[in-house]
Amino acid sequence: MHKGKRGRAMFYRTVAILMVAGIACLYAIGRILDWRNTLLIVEVWGLSWFGIGWLTAGTYKTDPALADA
């Protein structure tokens, strides 16, 4: 296993859980409390976590052997 692969997998799993669970919870809370912008809040939450995952993925260095290919 590559160094750090297990940590990255755990991070991405956490981001995915926060995205999905947060979207579901915020939507339910928004419907119950009759928020005017429930959909906007849900989308900002989901896209924010997606962006965090995406930016984190871009910071990992690639294997030098694959960079020349």
Side-chain angles (χ1 to χ4, degrees):
M1 221 179 217
H2 295 302
K3 186 175 184 179
K5 188 172 182 181
R6 183 171 284 149
R8 284 194 309 262
M10 180 63 80
F11 175 77
Y12 292 133
R13 190 173 300 122
T14 303
V15 168
I17 290 169
L18 284 170
M19 248 181 6
V20 173
I23 286 171
C25 289
L26 284 173
Y27 182 75
I29 292 168
R31 297 289 288 184
I32 291 169
L33 298 179
D34 196 28
W35 289 343
R36 295 185 83 189
N37 298 322
T38 302
L39 185 60
L40 176 65
I41 293 168
V42 167
E43 286 191 21
V44 167
W45 176 268
L47 286 174
S48 296
W49 281 108
F50 179 80
I52 289 168
W54 187 300
L55 290 172
T56 303
T59 61
Y60 293 116
K61 294 186 179 192
T62 60
D63 186 8
L66 296 175
D68 293 343

